[in-house]
């Protein structure tokens, strides 16, 4: 009985919340973030030709969420860069990822079983950042629910929300890839998590913060590890959204595809009508020349 009480959810969650993030979990966060940067087309060439721009992109991948949160709360955007230990650690990961001889570091951390461990640890950091961001926003705006949600959201997915800025540093401009238009699973999950943590912070959700951090972390780790292991970009929220969105917004989920299909049927119908009224095909030059020769032959006869 004593063992079961010691392993209760509350005590386990409290012990989990006391685990320090630096340096092990932060290192995992930096590794996965810079791995995703290296996956971007042209990122390796950029690191060879413009290493400073590549380093800035890596710092945005690692600390973009802090920059956005400081922007929302009116604090100095460069404030987090005073954390020398984190900057040096992230810079070391960037250098090893792009410039390690024979790509040994990249091959080791990119090996799928090893990468899954780092991905799981990164989600621990993500959830902790959401909770800390909402607590920080609540300190400035006690009744600002939307401020707290926005701050927690950017703390969890600031890198993705700043993707267009990071692309500009790489000399790429693709506004159609805006994360707001095409939300990935981490961005959606960060938004939903920010709502939950805001409800908990304002005492509308009867659960301790440590327990909520533990439960939501387990959810994020399970989903993200599964999605990474299966190499899929789908979201666990897709099924739920396919039922809720038509009810709330009066549009069929995936309305663009429906519109395209509808347009396709209309185009087929229009093409059949057009075929009925289309003019007859004109004769080729050979047919015209042959007809003129026959007319001349008849005149000669």
């Amino acid at each position: 009985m004593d063992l079961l009480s010691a392993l209760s959810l509350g005590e386990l969650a409290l012990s989990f919340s006391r685990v320090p993030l630096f340096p092990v979990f932060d290192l995992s966060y930096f590794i996965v973030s810079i791995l995703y940067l290296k996956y971007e087309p042209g990122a390796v060439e950029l690191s060879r030709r413009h290493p400073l721009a590549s380093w800035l992109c890596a710092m945005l991948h690692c600390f973009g969420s802090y920059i956005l949160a400081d922007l929302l709360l009116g604090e100095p955007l460069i404030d987090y860069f005073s954390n020398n230990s984190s900057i040096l650690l992230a810079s070391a990961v960037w250098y090893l990822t792009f410039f390690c001889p024979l790509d040994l570091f990249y091959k080791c951390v990119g090996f799928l079983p090893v990468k899954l461990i780092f991905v799981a640890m990164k989600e621990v950091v993500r959830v902790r950042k959401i909770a800390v961001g909402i607590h920080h926003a609540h300190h400035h705006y006690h009744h600002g629910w939307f401020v707290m949600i926005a701050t927690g959201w950017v703390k969890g997915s600031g890198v993705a929300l700043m993707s267009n800025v990071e692309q500009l540093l790489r000399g790429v401009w693709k506004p159609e890839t805006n994360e707001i238009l095409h939300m990935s699973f981490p961005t959606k999950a960060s938004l939903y998590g920010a709502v939950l943590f805001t409800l908990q912070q304002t005492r509308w959700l009867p659960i301790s913060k440590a327990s909520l951090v533990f439960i939501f972390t387990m959810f994020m780790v399970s989903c993200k590890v599964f999605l990474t292991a299966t190499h899929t970009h789908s979201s666990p929220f897709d099924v739920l959204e396919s039922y809720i969105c038509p009810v709330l917004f009066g549009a069929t989920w995936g309305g663009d595809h429906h519109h395209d299909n509808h347009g396709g049927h209309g185009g087929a119908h229009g093409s059949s009508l057009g075929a009925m009224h289309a003019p007859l095909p004109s004769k080729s030059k050979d047919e015209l020349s042959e007809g003129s020769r026959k007319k001349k032959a008849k005149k000669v006869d």
Side-chain angles (χ1 to χ4, degrees), residues 6-272:
L7 294 178
S8 63
L9 178 62
E11 294 183 5
L12 180 61
L14 187 60
S15 301
F16 179 75
S17 65
R18 293 173 178 171
V19 175
L21 296 181
F22 188 86
V24 178
F25 287 91
D26 283 343
L27 175 63
S28 302
Y29 186 91
F30 299 154
I31 288 174
V32 177
S33 298
I34 297 176
L35 270 181
Y36 290 153
L37 171 62
K38 191 167 184 177
Y39 293 156
E40 293 292 335
V44 176
E45 292 78 5
L46 179 71
S47 65
R48 301 295 189 272
R49 299 176 58 187
H50 306 286
L52 179 59
S54 177
W55 179 81
L56 288 174
C57 290
M59 295 304 102
L60 279 183
H61 272 260
C62 295
F63 309 112
S65 57
Y66 298 100
I67 296 174
L68 270 183
D70 289 340
L71 178 64
L72 289 179
L73 297 177
E75 297 180 353
L77 303 184
I78 204 170
D79 182 61
Y80 193 81
F81 285 85
S82 62
N83 191 339
N84 298 326
S85 301
S86 296
I87 299 298
L88 291 175
L89 184 60
S91 300
V93 172
W94 164 76
Y95 185 84
L96 291 174
T97 302
F98 283 95
F99 301 102
C100 182
L102 302 178
D103 260 353
L104 290 179
F105 182 81
Y106 171 74
K107 292 175 181 177
C108 291
V109 299
F111 182 53
L112 185 58
V114 178
K115 180 182 175 182
L116 293 180
I117 298 175
F118 291 141
V119 166
M121 297 175 75
K122 178 182 179 180
E123 296 310 311
V124 175
V125 179
R126 187 196 304 275
V127 177
R128 198 80 65 88
K129 285 165 62 178
I130 294 174
V132 171
I134 289 175
H135 178 77
H136 190 192
H138 181 261
H139 179 73
H140 292 278
Y141 303 92
H142 293 285
H143 304 289
W145 283 34
F146 292 102
V147 177
M148 287 186 275
I149 292 174
T151 305
W153 185 31
V154 301
K155 270 297 188 81
S157 59
V159 179
L161 296 174
M162 293 184 68
S163 59
N164 291 113
V165 177
E166 185 268 334
Q167 288 173 358
L168 283 177
L169 288 176
R170 292 189 285 114
V172 179
W173 175 241
K174 295 181 179 179
E176 68 277 3
T177 61
N178 192 316
E179 185 70 15
I180 301 295
L181 300 178
H182 307 283
M183 285 192 186
S184 59
F185 164 71
T187 303
K188 289 182 180 180
S190 298
L191 177 58
Y192 299 148
V195 173
L196 292 176
F197 280 102
T198 299
L199 293 176
Q200 189 280 328
Q201 185 70 43
T202 54
R203 302 288 189 266
W204 283 88
L205 191 63
I207 187 175
S208 66
K209 179 178 292 186
S211 298
L212 183 58
V213 168
F214 180 77
I215 295 172
F216 196 69
T217 300
M218 293 301 105
F219 167 75
M220 290 294 295
V221 168
S222 303
C223 292
K224 190 60 178 175
V225 168
F226 174 78
L227 295 176
T228 305
T230 56
H231 301 285
T232 179
H233 298 284
S234 61
S235 171
F237 304 119
D238 289 344
V239 177
L240 184 62
E241 291 171 350
S242 64
Y243 289 101
I244 295 179
C245 289
V247 176
L248 294 179
F249 305 110
T252 304
W253 186 249
D256 293 338
H257 299 290
H258 178 73
H259 178 73
D260 292 340
N261 294 335
H262 180 73
H265 291 303
H269 182 65
S271 62
S272 62

